[in-house]
């Protein structure tokens, strides 16, 4: 027992040391990379470069999956990444709709930390954060356990839906898209981002691929169930949406957005 206790202490000391070391390295990078090329909208940090995020797998490179893989997109100070900044740019600068904040009922699926903090401060009429609770994770108290293939809200309820890199995890994505469409108001908008292959014409999925290692090899992440392709908008249209596609990266260079990632804005 003594040996075990000694080992536990050793691990604890080692973990604390590593945590302190990481904090020192992070602060050093924040100091070193100060600059004017990029500006993080969430923490205000201005930098000369962005940090790396993600990792490459052969399938990500081979299929040119935009929105996955290793890339420079991370704020050195707050760790926010390009996906969150893209939604921010659209809401804050592009959507006149978002000016009427106190009138807007919002559903944010699988809410990202920085984006949800930003939205929480906007005095929205209603801000629902929904996620499908999975056993091994813990969730903040204000997040509702929600399966988006069966959204527990009435038809035409939400003005704004944000579903940012979620559908690639859902086996029955047509049902999820149909549900998102159902709960969207006729005047509302849905932001529907996914990783997309620039190589594939047709979405690749195989229900028999269920082992995490196999999914990683086939789809580029252990919990993805498909690779979306150039037909992604068609799949949204099949669920009822009208879709507008456009890029914002060149318009807001300081945000360090992914030049290959288009926004998919769904209307009813
Ligand atoms: Zn930041």
């Amino acid at each position: 027992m003594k040996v075990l206790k000694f080992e536990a202490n050793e691990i604890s000391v080692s973990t604390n040391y590593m945590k302190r070391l990481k904090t020192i390295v992070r602060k050093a990078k924040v100091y070193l990379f100060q600059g004017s090329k990029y500006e993080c909208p969430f923490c205000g940090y201005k930098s000369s470069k962005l940090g790396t995020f993600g990792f490459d797998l052969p399938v990500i490179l081979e299929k040119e999956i935009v929105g996955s893989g290793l890339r420079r997109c991370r704020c050195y100070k707050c760790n926010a990444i390009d996906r969150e900044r893209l939604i921010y740019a659209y809401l804050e600068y592009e959507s006149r709709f978002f000016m009427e904040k106190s009138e807007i009922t919002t559903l944010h699926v699988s809410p990202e930390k920085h984006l949800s903090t930003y939205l929480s401060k906007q005095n929205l009429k209603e801000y629902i954060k929904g996620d499908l609770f999975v056993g091994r994770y813990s969730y903040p108290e204000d997040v509702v356990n929600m399966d988006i293939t069966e959204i527990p809200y009435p038809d035409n309820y939400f003005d704004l839906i944000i579903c940012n890199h979620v559908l690639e995890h859902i086996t029955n994505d047509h049902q999820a898209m149909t549900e998102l469409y159902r709960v969207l108001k006729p005047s509302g908008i849905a932001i529907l981002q996914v990783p997309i292959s620039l190589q594939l014409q047709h979405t690749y999925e195989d229900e028999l691929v269920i082992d995490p290692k196999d999914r990683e090899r086939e789809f580029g992440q252990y919990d993805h169930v498909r690779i979306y392709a150039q037909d992604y908008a068609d799949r949204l249209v099949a669920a009822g949406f009208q879709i507008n596609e456009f890029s914002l990266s060149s318009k807001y260079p300081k945000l360090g957005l992914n030049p290959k990632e288009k926004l998919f804005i769904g209307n009813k």
Side-chain angles (χ1 to χ4, degrees), residues 40-45 75 77-80:
C40 176
F42 299 116
C43 72
Y45 175 61
C75 170
K77 189 166 186 181
C78 75
N79 286 326

Side-chain angles (χ1 to χ4, degrees), residues 17-236:
Y17 175 75
M18 287 308 292
K19 272 187 185 171
R20 282 212 300 274
L21 189 62
K22 278 185 178 175
T23 302
I24 291 166
V25 169
R26 190 181 66 80
K27 284 184 175 174
K29 286 181 175 175
V30 167
Y31 177 76
L32 279 173
F33 299 134
Q34 290 176 98
S36 58
K37 189 171 182 184
Y38 302 107
E39 182 169 354
C40 176
F42 299 116
C43 72
Y45 175 61
K46 296 175 184 173
S47 63
S48 59
K49 64 194 284 193
L50 295 168
T52 55
F53 175 81
F55 57 95
D56 278 332
L57 289 167
V59 68
I60 294 173
L61 298 172
E62 183 194 328
K63 307 293 185 196
E64 289 187 72
I65 304 176
V66 174
S68 287
L70 182 69
R71 59 198 188 278
R72 285 204 171 272
C73 68
R74 183 175 54 81
C75 170
Y76 279 111
K77 189 166 186 181
C78 75
N79 286 326
I81 62 170
D82 50 356
R83 287 175 193 174
E84 293 187 81
R85 295 193 297 271
L86 177 62
I87 309 303
Y88 173 92
Y90 176 71
L91 291 175
E92 192 70 16
Y93 306 133
E94 294 289 318
S95 176
R96 286 175 57 198
F97 165 90
F98 201 58
M99 291 167 74
E100 306 291 332
K101 293 185 172 89
S102 63
E103 303 294 318
I104 291 176
T105 302
T106 298
L107 171 62
H108 191 178
V109 180
S110 197
E112 305 92 327
K113 179 183 165 190
H114 301 91
L115 200 52
S116 62
T117 301
Y118 158 73
L119 287 165
S120 298
K121 294 176 181 169
Q122 301 304 310
N123 296 318
L124 302 170
K125 183 178 176 187
E126 195 173 3
Y127 179 40
I128 306 295
K129 293 188 270 187
D131 212 339
L132 184 62
F133 289 7
V134 184
R136 62 183 182 278
Y137 297 110
S138 61
Y139 297 84
E141 275 184 14
D142 58 351
V143 175
V144 177
N145 188 7
M146 184 184 294
D147 175 357
I148 62 164
T149 64
E150 202 173 346
I151 300 173
Y153 283 86
D155 297 356
N156 307 318
Y157 190 84
F158 294 102
D159 298 287
L160 171 65
I161 295 174
I162 301 168
C163 188
N164 195 15
H165 291 258
V166 176
L167 291 165
E168 68 274 18
H169 297 269
I170 297 175
T171 304
N172 192 347
D173 66 333
H174 178 73
Q175 179 61 26
M177 291 171 184
T178 303
E179 275 292 272
L180 293 168
Y181 181 79
R182 179 184 67 77
V183 298
L184 184 67
K185 281 184 185 172
S187 58
I189 58 165
I191 306 173
L192 303 160
Q193 301 304 109
V194 293
I196 294 184
S197 165
L198 296 177
Q199 288 284 323
L200 297 175
Q201 290 300 309
H202 302 289
T203 293
Y204 167 56
E205 53 192 339
D206 184 345
E207 286 185 13
L208 297 177
V209 179
I210 51 172
D211 183 81
K213 277 283 167 202
D214 294 337
R215 284 180 167 173
E216 205 171 68
R217 185 189 67 244
E218 294 294 308
F219 307 132
Q221 192 167 306
Y222 75 93
D223 56 353
H224 286 185
V225 298
R226 70 182 61 79
I227 300 174
Y228 284 109
Q230 301 307 303
D231 62 352
Y232 174 56
D234 297 339
R235 293 168 77 98
L236 294 168

